[in-house]
Amino acid sequence: MLFRSEGALVFPTEVPLVSVVFNGPDSTVETNVAVEGSPFFQSTVGLDYTFPGGWYANAQWVHGLFFERGANNLRDYLISSLEKKLLRDELKVVVGGALEVASWSDISGDLGYGVFPEVVYSPVDNLEMTVGAFLVDGRGVSRFGAWNAANQMYLQVKVR
């Protein structure tokens, strides 16, 4: 079993945001701050384990993804995967999932979730073919809910 953790204390620089609202002769200029200047903390705690029989599991708790900025904009994510290698390690089946919680005080309001199945076939060294899907949904103001129109299936080929 492997346990890992990392964190970052971020001291952002305030970024001024200036917008011009054109409305005929009544155009206005609005100023705002795109990134708050107060420090915030992002962290990840993870655990992975290979079970007898070759099942590999990985789980991570993430507080604030890399693109989230400002103490009031950080969300919590539980990201996990379970994988199994078959056929002398030529075939790998992976089922991943994620849960997004925007606010613990209103967990039913802003909640996102996703499932990420994948099959990887590597018949010879340096060749890997992957078929997978990225399926997300959510309710309220969730990132996964906003991406639900971006559900996709993919085919990837890697040659090294």
Side-chain angles (χ1 to χ4, degrees), residues 36-51:
E36 295 296 327
S38 56
F40 60 92
F41 188 74
Q42 293 175 302
S43 61
T44 300
V45 176
L47 171 62
D48 60 301
Y49 183 72
T50 302
F51 292 93

Side-chain angles (χ1 to χ4, degrees), residues 106-151:
D106 184 18
I107 194 168
S108 64
D110 297 330
L111 186 69
Y113 44 89
V115 178
F116 319 114
E118 195 173 71
V119 176
V120 182
Y121 181 57
S122 185
V124 295
D125 288 344
N126 301 322
L127 174 63
E128 190 176 274
M129 296 174 281
T130 304
V131 174
F134 181 78
L135 309 168
V136 295
D137 204 352
R139 58 180 179 256
V141 184
S142 68
R143 299 210 191 285
F144 288 152
W147 295 340
N148 71 355
N151 286 338

